[in-house]
Amino acid sequence: MMKNAFAAVCAVSLLSAGAASANSLVAPGAHSGVAKSSIATTSTGEWNKLSRTDGPGVEVWTRDGDSLNKVSFFGGIGGGLPIYRERNKKEAPLPKVTANMLLPDIPVLLESTYRSQYQVNKFSLESQDIVTIEGKQAIRFTYSFVRSDDEVERKGEAIGSIVKGKLFMVTYEAPAIYFFDKDLQDFRKMAETLKF
Amino acid sequence: MSFCRRFSAVLPGIAALALAGAAHAVEPAAPVLPTYTAAYQPQTKDERGIWMEADEDERVLRDSVLLMRDEGLNAYVRQVLCREVGEDRCRSVRLYIVEVPQFNASMAPNGTMRVWTGLLLRVQNEAELASVLGHEFAHFELRHSLAGIKARRDAASLAAWIGVLSAGAANIGTGGAGNGSTLQLAVLGNYFKFSREQETAADLLGLQYMAKSPYDPAAASQIWQSIMAEADARSVARGLKPGREYKAAFFGTHPPSPERAAYLKAEADKLGKRGELRAQEYREAIRPFLPRLLAAQIRSNDFGGSEYLLQTLSATEGWTGDLLFARGELFRQRGNPRDLVTAADLFRDAIAKGYANPEAHRELGLSLMRGGQEADGKAALREYLKLKPDANDGNVIKMLVGS
Ligand SMILES: [Zn+2]
């Protein structure tokens, strides 16, 4: 099973490599204006910024293809908006950000969005804690989930906050086998230098 | 039409029904079941091909993280199937419960039956469950998947279908290049688009199983009525016209329709038999899994459909703590100011009814705080921390309480 899942992910990643030419390199160092917002961070090592956008307020970085490792920046999604572009607004609307959301509502919004957008039928929120970003409180949470398209168990780690009624969030997700641990430390360094 | 010729001897009236719909009178259903061939083996090259595929799928399915492996639950659902189709037929089935919140069941030609948890949430009693499982078994007994192999749809169609039912999975593969759909059909079940004749044949053979079973044949029509009502409630809540989902055949393999519900009722009436529904037994068996099934439904962002389901469930045994809690979650997630007030009331009701899950206090507290009632909200959150001192979100809640 593990082998199968692994092969499935790798097959997907080959596909994404085909489109990699349109993506752009993210060099190590300080970055600002991430996801066309006030998000700033300092990265170590190289990443690729996907040219594909999953929504107007989303920017995705990856190393080996976004099915293998994926850092998503959500740059100030306003009240009444979904975090991703809705593929079928009428029949399949996504949950919306609300300005009065509390920190514990953020993981719920992510889960509910994933269940709809990615046909995720298994999602578990594993830990939640408080961190401070520039003196403002944010929620840091870890989770795992399985999408119905490849049945690969993925782990995620995220930091989110509501700033002036808008959602700011950064997530790191990768298959639980091998990939998650591979880039976790690099993600954590980025998270430590994060500004919303 | 060759199909109709082949089976009309076994099931009188199918051809007439399939061609003319329910408007025309049909012969009474035959009182005896066709002889069942146990341990059937594939006969042709095509058939051997789909069996091999089904065997391979079953190996993947057995390892799936989406399987509900609880022995008691599996044994119970199997027992309902066995009561419906009889022990002989039942022996050829290997049943798997897959955790997907939509309404579906399917059966592969090698005897693999997949039951989605969304079906378990939606049927009201054993008889309704039996009628759906019996219908799937009828497709198997009539070997429709072989006839339908050319009409089999791909993963994209399945994704589009479940996407419509829950939300936007129509372009599910986001693995980089927007590479279409790669849904795990091995786990979810292959998606055969049966012809209308095949559907009618499976419905009628299903009714014959019911006639022989302890169950009430009226359930076969009833389940489709509720599925349509739920679809209407979902549409209305989304500001869409009721009836669009099933009229537009979004339901994929098993489109509900007023005609279908009507002819099932007419045929069931002709059997002149009243059987058991076993609603109470069903509720008892599902109860331990209900919170999990409800949680998945509530988080599917389908307010109208979820509210309809909760109202229906409460009609059987009243507003239990589980149902009140789930309804509170539904309103809290929608999160309009009035919803937060409703949610808080529902969580309070659940607590008053002795609902022991500490989460009720957490959700009450969060609803109140979000609705601007800080003091009451903090008190509820403190209660949560007291009841669950090792909560994995302890630090987050403590921050909200301000301690
Ligand atoms: Zn059918």
Side-chain angles (χ1 to χ4, degrees):
Chain A
M1 173 60 190
M2 269 187 185
K3 225 184 208 167
N4 283 346
F6 205 72
V9 184
C10 292
V12 171
S13 108
L14 279 179
L15 279 172
S16 45
S21 52
N23 302 332
S24 53
L25 193 72
V26 180
H31 307 278
S32 60
V34 182
K36 296 183 190 126
S37 73
S38 55
I39 296 180
T41 188
T42 300
S43 61
T44 53
E46 285 181 351
W47 293 83
N48 299 289
K49 175 182 154 182
L50 287 194
S51 56
R52 185 194 81 226
T53 57
D54 295 336
V58 192
E59 182 170 323
V60 176
W61 294 5
T62 181
R63 280 198 162 139
D64 306 290
D66 66 333
S67 58
L68 298 182
N69 35 44
K70 177 181 190 181
V71 177
S72 309
F73 299 90
F74 299 85
I77 315 280
L81 297 174
I83 63 172
Y84 288 122
R85 185 178 299 113
E86 291 173 297
R87 289 167 172 155
N88 184 352
K89 219 176 222 179
K90 242 189 195 175
E91 313 280 357
L94 291 179
K96 312 294 188 299
V97 172
T98 39
N100 64 355
M101 274 172 78
L102 303 170
L103 293 182
D105 295 324
I106 294 175
V108 178
L109 178 76
L110 188 72
E111 174 181 348
S112 183
T113 301
Y114 277 20
R115 281 181 179 271
S116 297
Q117 191 86 335
Y118 298 134
Q119 199 59 34
V120 164
N121 294 318
K122 216 177 175 80
F123 185 105
S124 87
L125 185 55
E126 267 135 33
S127 74
Q128 304 177 61
D129 213 337
I130 290 291
V131 292
T132 308
I133 293 178
E134 296 185 295
K136 208 171 164 1
Q137 279 162 329
I139 186 169
R140 177 187 166 285
F141 56 100
T142 59
Y143 52 99
S144 62
F145 65 100
V146 177
R147 285 162 52 153
S148 290
D149 54 353
D150 58 16
E151 280 239 331
V152 173
E153 295 199 65
R154 286 189 171 78
K155 293 209 297 188
E157 190 164 310
I159 293 179
S161 188
I162 304 289
V163 183
K164 293 179 188 143
K166 290 181 173 177
L167 172 71
F168 286 81
M169 180 165 66
V170 181
T171 63
Y172 165 67
E173 291 167 357
I177 306 165
Y178 176 71
F179 283 98
F180 186 78
D181 291 337
K182 181 171 87 76
D183 296 309
L184 180 61
Q185 290 317 315
D186 280 4
F187 168 72
R188 288 198 173 149
K189 277 179 209 152
M190 269 198 265
E192 279 165 21
T193 56
L194 198 61
K195 286 175 189 168
F196 284 153
Chain B
M1 284 304 101
S2 65
F3 166 78
C4 295
R5 274 205 303 278
R6 263 173 71 201
F7 291 100
S8 53
V10 188
L11 299 169
I14 293 175
L17 252 184
L19 293 171
H24 293 241
V26 291
E27 298 291 310
V32 284
L33 284 172
T35 315
Y36 180 65
T37 319
Y40 171 84
Q41 290 300 307
Q43 310 283 312
T44 63
K45 188 164 163 279
D46 270 0
E47 209 173 2
R48 276 189 291 274
I50 58 171
W51 274 58
M52 271 172 61
E53 211 178 283
D55 288 346
E56 180 53 40
D57 284 351
E58 188 176 4
R59 279 189 282 274
V60 176
L61 173 64
R62 271 178 11 198
D63 287 334
S64 171
V65 291
L66 291 181
L67 275 195
M68 293 271 278
R69 295 175 192 276
D70 183 89
E71 278 182 35
L73 182 65
N74 279 274
Y76 174 73
V77 175
R78 186 180 179 82
Q79 192 186 36
V80 173
L81 171 69
C82 294
R83 279 204 197 104
E84 164 77 357
V85 300
E87 290 298 332
D88 260 10
R89 285 177 166 78
C90 201
R91 263 193 287 280
S92 52
V93 180
R94 293 171 311 287
L95 191 144
Y96 298 88
I97 301 173
V98 190
E99 196 159 15
V100 183
Q102 284 96 24
F103 173 84
N104 198 28
S106 65
M107 193 155 171
N110 70 342
T112 325
M113 181 178 270
R114 291 166 175 82
V115 175
W116 289 10
T117 45
L119 171 65
L120 299 181
L121 181 64
R122 282 164 179 81
V123 294
Q124 293 300 310
N125 49 54
E126 279 187 21
E128 288 185 6
L129 177 59
S131 86
V132 174
L133 301 184
H135 173 95
E136 289 309 320
F137 189 90
H139 280 306
F140 167 76
E141 180 164 353
L142 298 170
R143 293 194 255 292
H144 284 166
S145 54
L146 179 65
I149 189 165
K150 296 205 168 60
R152 187 166 52 168
R153 290 186 169 182
D154 56 9
S157 314
L158 179 64
W161 172 57
I162 54 185
V164 164
L165 286 188
S166 69
N171 194 4
I172 194 165
T174 56
N179 52 300
S181 292
T182 51
L183 277 180
Q184 285 285 76
L185 292 181
V187 174
L188 299 177
N190 243 316
Y191 178 57
F192 291 99
K193 173 79 180 144
F194 295 120
S195 71
R196 213 162 149 181
E197 287 84 356
Q198 289 174 322
E199 282 306 319
T200 310
D203 277 341
L204 294 185
L205 181 53
L207 272 181
Q208 295 194 42
Y209 300 146
M210 289 216 103
K212 291 253 168 192
S213 81
Y215 295 122
D216 188 344
S221 167
Q222 192 52 52
I223 180 66
W224 291 114
Q225 310 257 23
S226 3
I227 292 302
M228 284 188 285
E230 180 197 338
D232 285 350
R234 175 166 42 244
S235 292
V236 168
R238 287 178 178 163
L240 303 171
K241 259 171 82 175
R244 57 182 286 128
E245 270 189 29
Y246 46 94
K247 275 183 199 142
F250 282 143
F251 268 87
T253 50
H254 296 100
S257 66
E259 295 78 31
R260 181 175 214 164
Y263 79 66
L264 279 168
K265 182 169 187 325
E267 290 298 303
D269 287 348
K270 279 190 212 155
L271 294 172
K273 173 209 167 199
R274 302 224 23 162
E276 302 168 21
L277 291 175
R278 292 175 60 89
Q280 204 48 48
E281 288 85 348
Y282 185 73
R283 292 266 67 87
E284 294 303 329
I286 294 301
R287 193 181 315 277
F289 309 95
L290 194 59
R292 184 159 159 184
L293 303 189
L294 285 170
Q297 173 63 34
I298 299 303
R299 298 204 169 162
S300 66
N301 200 41
D302 165 19
F303 188 91
S306 303
E307 173 72 348
Y308 172 83
L309 283 172
L310 288 167
Q311 295 289 350
T312 312
L313 286 166
S314 74
T316 313
E317 54 179 0
W319 285 100
T320 60
D322 280 338
L323 296 180
L324 288 167
F325 180 78
R327 193 158 180 242
E329 289 285 79
L330 183 64
F331 279 87
R332 187 170 91 75
Q333 273 179 48
R334 194 167 67 171
N336 294 319
R338 64 185 147 79
D339 293 332
L340 296 170
V341 175
T342 307
D345 286 347
L346 289 163
F347 293 127
R348 282 196 180 107
D349 276 4
I351 293 164
K353 288 210 167 143
Y355 185 67
N357 184 351
E359 307 292 326
H361 296 274
R362 177 189 191 272
E363 303 304 278
L364 170 62
L366 293 176
S367 308
L368 291 170
M369 300 248 332
R370 203 163 143 183
Q373 290 175 261
E374 294 252 328
D376 287 354
K378 285 180 180 176
L381 292 180
R382 265 187 226 106
E383 185 65 18
Y384 166 68
L385 292 171
K386 201 173 88 190
L387 292 171
K388 201 174 175 185
D390 57 349
N392 81 351
D393 60 347
N395 288 339
V396 180
I397 301 299
K398 275 178 203 152
M399 180 276 293
L400 289 172
V401 171
S403 62

